Amino acid sequence: MNKNSFVVLKNICKRFGDNTVIGNLDLEIEKGKLITLLGPSGCGKTTVLRLVAGLEKPTSGQIFIDGKDVTNTSIQHRDICMVFQSYALFPHMSLYENVAYGLKMLKLPAAEIKLRVDEALQLVDLAGMGDRFVDQISGGQQQRVALARALVLKPKVLLFDEPLSNLDANLRRNMRETIRELQQRFNITSLYVTHDQSEAFAVSDTVIVMKDGDIMQQGTPDELYRTPASMFMANFMGDANIFTGQFRNRHLDINGYKVPVQDATLCQFPDDEYQIGVRPEAILLTGEGEECQRCKVKDVVYMGSMYEVAVEWQDQELLLQLNSSQFDPEISEHAYLTIEPTGIFLLPKAA
């Protein structure tokens, strides 16, 4: 166990009847860090969150918070707060009363409650709106109230259960910035659950990708995207074009097209045949090139900031993502592709 770990799950197993949701999981969160559990539906990420919260008990294994074994401790005695997907606000209470609710349960003095609630509402840009009710504010503001209600208690651990799923794209972007800024400002150890990759990347110190109750890989967002450890990770962390090719003398040979590689991580691989992954944004189109680069542009879809382009290259269909402000692709029999080395990763053939 790392001495800096604040939340620790050790040898956790969770079964529901004959169904094993979590097999044998170890997880550690350092103090003040925000860790995100990311994965497809049914991967076990929400079960892990509920185990940390005390809403579920593990079938076997131990859970520690701040060095204390809380495996059999109720949620009321774990000093944690959770921000839910559904906000879980009281519609008959004002925003002020919603945020003050937990403090009143702790029987704090009225003056201290007012001071802390006013401060919390100001932190989430809702100052002066405490007398409004839930049905008088937007979904984004409701989520801010839910965040304020958690922050006002100054918990040891803050849990987020798909908190932005009910918001539109612009509000999600604004709220994830708010969550990250406040989590860092108050140095709150946090566990965040989402199925949205961009959301996980935006708020996290470390992302843990799960599948079928197991941890597939963990690391910074950049590490997971640029150096996936398996074919599952390569396809889950965004789109990937996969080839079989040779790596020789710091060059990749993909269907006769040779790409020089300078990346120190890739250069540590021994010369051999690999599955070669190329991210869509690392393949560019040009008007001329060698015969081995020639491709056919089959489909072009405008996506606002980019074009998604399908090309056929040596009997394989590829996905490209091209910056729409720099290039205006057309369906054509005469195009040539180039591959940027920065968008390449290697996987052993058995990965």
Side-chain angles (χ1 to χ4, degrees), residues 132-316:
R132 297 190 188 183
F133 286 80
V134 174
D135 61 358
Q136 296 175 315
I137 60 175
S138 68
Q141 290 171 326
Q142 290 178 33
Q143 190 57 279
R144 288 175 182 272
V145 175
L147 181 58
R149 185 177 57 185
L151 291 172
V152 78
L153 293 172
K154 300 179 180 178
K156 286 183 177 179
V157 180
L158 192 52
L159 307 177
F160 296 90
D161 182 16
E162 302 267 11
L164 309 184
S165 296
N166 294 333
L167 304 180
D168 63 39
N170 288 333
L171 284 174
R172 280 201 304 273
R173 184 163 49 250
N174 292 336
M175 275 303 302
R176 72 193 187 199
E177 291 172 0
T178 299
I179 287 171
R180 185 57 168 159
E181 193 273 326
L182 292 175
Q183 182 270 328
Q184 290 183 315
R185 184 192 302 185
F186 294 102
N187 198 37
I188 302 175
T189 306
S190 303
L191 182 61
Y192 196 106
V193 163
T194 183
H195 64 275
D196 186 299
Q197 179 185 313
S198 60
E199 190 177 316
F201 279 15
V203 302
S204 308
D205 292 299
T206 299
V207 177
I208 297 176
V209 180
M210 296 184 65
K211 178 189 177 190
D212 299 331
D214 296 321
I215 292 175
M216 302 301 292
Q217 190 175 348
Q218 66 184 68
T220 64
D222 183 71
E223 289 169 345
L224 296 185
Y225 187 75
R226 294 185 181 278
T227 57
S230 65
M231 189 60 70
F232 168 80
M233 288 297 301
N235 289 304
F236 184 75
M237 304 305 294
D239 295 297
N241 299 293
I242 305 296
F243 310 92
T244 297
Q246 303 286 332
F247 183 50
R248 294 281 189 274
N249 300 319
R250 297 193 174 190
H251 279 75
L252 291 173
D253 187 331
I254 307 174
N255 297 333
Y257 175 37
K258 291 181 171 57
V259 184
V261 173
Q262 303 298 325
D263 187 295
T265 301
L266 291 181
C267 290
Q268 293 174 3
F269 280 73
D271 288 354
D272 203 351
E273 188 173 83
Y274 292 93
Q275 293 181 105
I276 300 169
V278 183
R279 295 298 184 188
E281 67 274 13
I283 304 178
L284 307 178
L285 290 180
T286 61
E288 58 184 23
E290 300 179 9
E291 184 60 29
C292 63
Q293 297 171 259
R294 186 170 177 172
C295 63
K296 176 182 178 181
V297 179
K298 297 181 65 178
D299 191 30
V300 177
V301 180
Y302 180 66
M303 302 293 288
S305 61
M306 66 178 179
Y307 289 101
E308 284 194 347
V309 182
V311 306
E312 184 179 310
W313 182 49
Q314 301 191 23
D315 299 323
Q316 184 170 346

